[in-house]
Amino acid sequence: MESPQIINLPKILDKRGNLSFFEYPKQLPFEIARTYWIYDVPGGETRGSHAFMNQQEFIVALSGSFDVVLHDGEKEMRFSLNRSYYGLFIPNKYWRRMENFSTNSLALIVSDRAFDENDYIRDFNQFKTIRDER
Ligand code: TYD
C-alpha cells in the first residue's frame, strides 16, 4: 500500500455496545510492532510535524476527533478522524501533523517498527529533498 488511505474497520453492532477491531493482514497492511496513544491534548495544540524514513502507521480516533494533515512533498491532504470504526493508514515518507483535537480526544497509533529517533525526519526541507530523490 503506497498511498495514505482511510481503512474502514469491521463494526459489530450490539445492543450492549458496539465493537470494532483490526488485525494483520485483513485490515492492516503491516504487522504491529508498537502501539502508542495521544491524549489530554490542550486546545489548539499540534502534534507531529515530522515524517518517518521507514515507519508506517495507522491512526484511529478512539474518542473525540482530530485532523491528520499529510504532505507528500507537493501538496497537503487533510483527513478528519472522528469515529472509532475507521482509521488512516500512513505510508513512510509522508510529512504529518495532527491538529484540531477535541476535548477528551484519544488517538490510537500503531506502527510497524519499534521507536527509533533516527527514523524521524524533523526538518521539512530535508523531507522535501528526500522526496525529490524518490
Ligand atoms: P513524537 O513522536 O515527537 O511526538 P509527536 O509526533 O506526537 O508530536 O514523540 C514525543 C516524544 O516521545 C519524543 O521524545 C519521543 C518519545 N516517544 C517514545 O519514547 N516512544 C514512542 O513510541 C513515541 C511515539 C515517542
Side-chain angles (χ1 to χ4, degrees), residues 34 36 38 46-50 52 96 115 117 120 122:
R34 181 166 50 105
Y36 64 98
I38 295 173
T46 298
R47 302 285 317 206
S49 297
H50 53 65
F52 295 110
R96 73 153 165 88
F115 176 74
E117 182 61 42
Y120 281 73
R122 293 194 183 272

Side-chain angles (χ1 to χ4, degrees), residues 65-93:
S65 62
F66 50 85
D67 293 344
V68 183
V69 184
L70 299 183
H71 202 298
D72 65 5
E74 289 174 8
K75 60 181 185 319
E76 257 188 15
M77 296 153 266
R78 179 178 294 269
F79 297 86
S80 291
L81 303 188
N82 54 24
R83 291 285 185 269
S84 57
Y85 50 78
Y86 68 85
L88 176 64
F89 167 71
I90 309 178
N92 59 22
K93 298 191 180 73

Side-chain angles (χ1 to χ4, degrees), residues 53-121:
M53 270 313 275
N54 298 305
Q55 192 185 143
Q56 309 176 78
E57 291 192 327
F58 180 62
I59 304 182
V60 181
L62 282 189
S63 178
S65 62
F66 50 85
D67 293 344
V68 183
V69 184
L70 299 183
H71 202 298
D72 65 5
E74 289 174 8
K75 60 181 185 319
E76 257 188 15
M77 296 153 266
R78 179 178 294 269
F79 297 86
S80 291
L81 303 188
N82 54 24
R83 291 285 185 269
S84 57
Y85 50 78
Y86 68 85
L88 176 64
F89 167 71
I90 309 178
N92 59 22
K93 298 191 180 73
Y94 276 83
W95 189 267
R96 73 153 165 88
R97 66 176 194 274
M98 297 166 69
E99 61 189 24
N100 290 335
F101 287 89
S102 70
T103 305
N104 288 333
S105 56
L106 172 58
L108 176 74
I109 301 152
V110 295
S111 161
D112 65 341
R113 277 156 209 265
F115 176 74
D116 178 8
E117 182 61 42
N118 294 322
D119 196 47
Y120 281 73
I121 309 165

Side-chain angles (χ1 to χ4, degrees), residues 22 41 50:
F22 53 82
V41 179
H50 53 65

